[in-house]
Amino acid sequence: MADQTKFTLTEDRIPTHWVNLLPDLPGDPLPPLNPGTMEPAGPDDLTPIFPMEIIGQEVSGDAEVEIPEPVRDVYRLWRPTPLFRAHRLERELDTPARIYYKYEGVSPAGSHKPNSAVAQAYANKEAGVRRLSTETGAGQWGSALALACTLFGLECVVYMVGASYDQKPYRRAMMESWGATVIRSPSDTTEAGRSQASHPTGSLGIAISEAVEVAAGDADTNYALGSVLNHVCLHQTVIGQEAMAQMEMAGDEPDVVVGCVGGGSNFAGLSFPFVRRVLRGEAKTRFLAAEPAACPTLTRGAYRYDFGDTVGLTPLMPMYTLGHDFVPPPVHAGGLRYHGDSPMLCGLVKHGLVEARAYKQNETFEAALRFARTEGIIPGPEPAHAIRAVLDEAEAAREAGEERVILLGLSGHGHFDMSAYESYLAGELEDPEFSEADMDAALERLPDAPAIA
């Protein structure tokens, strides 16, 4: 087994349940708040944009939630996904660490995002919804929802962050190939978009505002979110459950689990099943979240109640935030340009169970090329941040002269991000600066909500 590279599971090993970390979280989880009353948000606050099945998953106290068979049937198109041992990268780094990566780029959309898109499209189809609206940064989530909607016979409209709309035309064409309507955000099709016309590069927060406005204003349309919320993290836990079984096949146990973080869905999907074991005293795994230095939510943000969108249409969520109207500078890792993060993940960071590190754009692409030139896969700009963190961990293991088992979440490929690689190879890729002054100004504009410890 020592030289085995790929660890695969058969289709009958696709998980039958999603792992819900909510009941295992330390302390009492903080509820989302209705911004008008500052009382905990209830189903009535969410029914205008979500079906009851999704609302039930969002607030479920069950440790496991059954995956509907029609969802598992679609999962069979690409799940279980492979786990690889990075032998060549290990040799390149001259490290005693053993590096594994769980590769989600084998899905039709090229990332982990369909794990939740399929579940959300199915729940909305069962509820009689005709159309879904959503936002997308780099295009991964929009592609996944376009795919899921076409499989379940739903219409799909996607507000794509302006900077990524311009950078990634083929990702847009991919969504349109699956039948979606793609609109550059901020747009003139919504009040929210028109109010943000002074920010032409856009942001995930602005695109969310536009998509939520569309859903709230049309009884036949619901909203689907690609990250952050509990039910999205729930759906993604198929990744970690499979990885557990595959690590057992490899005869190894991870000392550290590493993933990139924008809103938290990819990181949660891989790590939460492992985190639950730590919370229950069954393991001592470390968890490392990597984010962009240009949008350092977990490493520089304030732990406050804030809106999930720019205009203020969503409930207030407890999270690390840069301020809901903070517009990050454009980076090619468009999926990581979000002002906040998953409340569950933020709680774990707050309790010291997850460590966060921020990396600049050029150092992540340098790491991505080292990975591509050893392992063969060209990673997306988002997981390139996690690869950068893995290189640091492997170097630390070498310097300490200790074995260390590292599990990486490789959330997607970079086949539609080649313009970013072209810029890096030409020496033209910038390292956008994070503006602490802009963050401080945005934090001054946070809603007057109860303080959280």
Side-chain angles (χ1 to χ4, degrees):
M1 279 291 187
D3 295 325
Q4 187 168 341
T5 296
K6 185 165 76 271
F7 300 87
T8 57
L9 301 170
T10 53
E11 287 182 10
D12 61 347
R13 300 292 299 278
I14 295 173
T16 59
H17 291 72
W18 292 302
V19 169
N20 182 19
L21 195 63
L22 198 60
D24 284 284
L25 290 177
D28 294 323
L30 295 164
L33 300 179
N34 179 311
T37 65
M38 292 300 164
E39 295 295 322
D44 289 346
D45 296 298
L46 301 175
T47 49
I49 58 173
F50 292 129
M52 284 307 299
E53 178 66 20
I54 292 297
I55 294 172
Q57 292 173 6
E58 180 70 17
V59 301
S60 175
D62 297 333
E64 295 185 341
V65 175
E66 186 173 2
I67 303 175
E69 188 53 39
V71 173
R72 293 186 78 238
D73 186 53
V74 176
Y75 281 175
R76 290 184 182 95
L77 291 174
W78 72 93
R79 304 215 70 85
T81 60
L83 178 82
F84 291 91
R85 170 80 182 273
H87 291 292
R88 291 170 177 80
L89 181 62
E90 292 170 12
R91 291 195 291 269
E92 161 74 12
L93 300 175
D94 188 27
T95 178
R98 296 191 294 282
I99 302 171
Y100 296 84
Y101 57 97
K102 178 71 166 162
Y103 184 43
E104 292 293 300
V106 296
S107 79
S111 79
H112 68 293
K113 293 291 188 179
N115 298 327
S116 185
V118 168
Q120 293 189 53
Y122 171 74
N124 279 282
K125 179 70 172 180
E126 289 295 288
V129 172
R130 178 181 62 83
R131 182 176 71 157
L132 290 180
S133 66
T134 196
E135 76 294 328
T136 195
Q140 296 281 18
W141 170 247
S143 300
L145 193 67
L147 165 69
C149 283
T150 202
L151 292 175
F152 286 108
L154 299 173
E155 295 179 24
C156 181
V157 58
V158 181
Y159 285 88
M160 188 172 185
V161 173
S164 294
Y165 186 98
D166 300 337
Q167 291 169 347
K168 305 178 195 297
Y170 296 122
R171 182 65 68 179
R172 170 167 32 100
M174 190 179 196
M175 292 182 255
E176 292 171 342
S177 296
W178 278 318
T181 299
V182 185
I183 301 171
R184 190 187 189 281
S185 175
S187 76
D188 61 2
T189 66
T190 66
E191 290 291 337
R194 288 188 287 272
S195 75
Q196 298 298 314
S198 61
H199 300 293
T201 61
S203 71
L204 277 169
I206 296 171
I208 291 171
S209 293
E210 296 207 74
V212 170
E213 180 182 322
V214 168
D218 184 349
D220 290 331
T221 302
N222 269 355
Y223 170 66
L225 182 64
S227 192
V228 178
L229 294 182
N230 296 348
H231 67 270
V232 185
C233 295
L234 176 84
H235 299 153
Q236 295 293 351
T237 58
V238 292
I239 304 172
Q241 292 181 77
E242 290 178 6
M244 277 185 174
Q246 290 162 316
M247 291 298 295
E248 187 175 339
M249 291 171 63
D252 257 332
E253 175 73 19
D255 295 305
V256 58
V257 175
V258 184
C260 63
V261 173
S265 69
N266 151 72
F267 186 84
L270 178 63
S271 69
F272 278 11
F274 290 94
V275 170
R276 183 166 71 172
R277 294 201 311 193
V278 172
L279 291 172
R280 294 181 177 182
E282 299 167 0
K284 294 183 177 180
T285 318
R286 293 169 47 230
F287 302 95
L288 177 55
E291 63 181 7
C295 188
T297 308
L298 293 175
T299 51
R300 304 284 292 277
Y303 193 48
R304 302 274 293 278
Y305 268 108
D306 197 7
F307 293 106
D309 72 307
T310 295
V311 174
L313 301 178
T314 68
L316 302 177
M317 293 184 290
M319 59 185 180
Y320 285 98
T321 178
L322 302 173
H324 60 275
D325 60 358
F326 176 84
V327 178
V331 291
H332 284 279
L336 307 186
R337 287 182 70 237
Y338 184 57
H339 68 272
D341 276 310
S342 157
M344 281 202 288
L345 172 57
C346 290
L348 293 171
V349 172
K350 184 69 175 176
H351 282 87
L353 289 159
V354 172
E355 176 191 353
R357 297 180 194 166
Y359 294 99
K360 292 185 176 182
Q361 184 161 242
N362 273 282
E363 63 183 334
T364 65
F365 273 88
E366 187 272 336
L369 283 187
R370 293 187 77 178
F371 188 90
R373 291 170 180 177
T374 52
E375 294 300 308
I377 296 171
I378 298 175
E382 290 81 10
H385 291 72
I387 294 170
R388 177 70 260 172
V390 166
L391 299 190
D392 287 351
E393 286 290 312
E395 181 180 352
R398 184 182 70 244
E399 291 179 352
E402 65 179 32
E403 293 187 354
R404 186 176 300 180
V405 179
I406 304 169
L407 174 59
L408 160 70
L410 185 54
S411 58
H413 63 63
H415 299 172
F416 295 94
D417 302 289
M418 297 315 297
S419 64
Y421 281 93
E422 184 179 40
S423 295
Y424 176 78
L425 291 167
E428 298 170 353
L429 194 66
E430 297 178 349
D431 276 328
E433 289 296 326
F434 167 69
S435 172
E436 191 152 358
D438 286 352
M439 178 190 71
D440 290 342
L443 293 177
E444 286 292 324
R445 296 188 291 269
L446 288 188
D448 187 15
I452 53 180

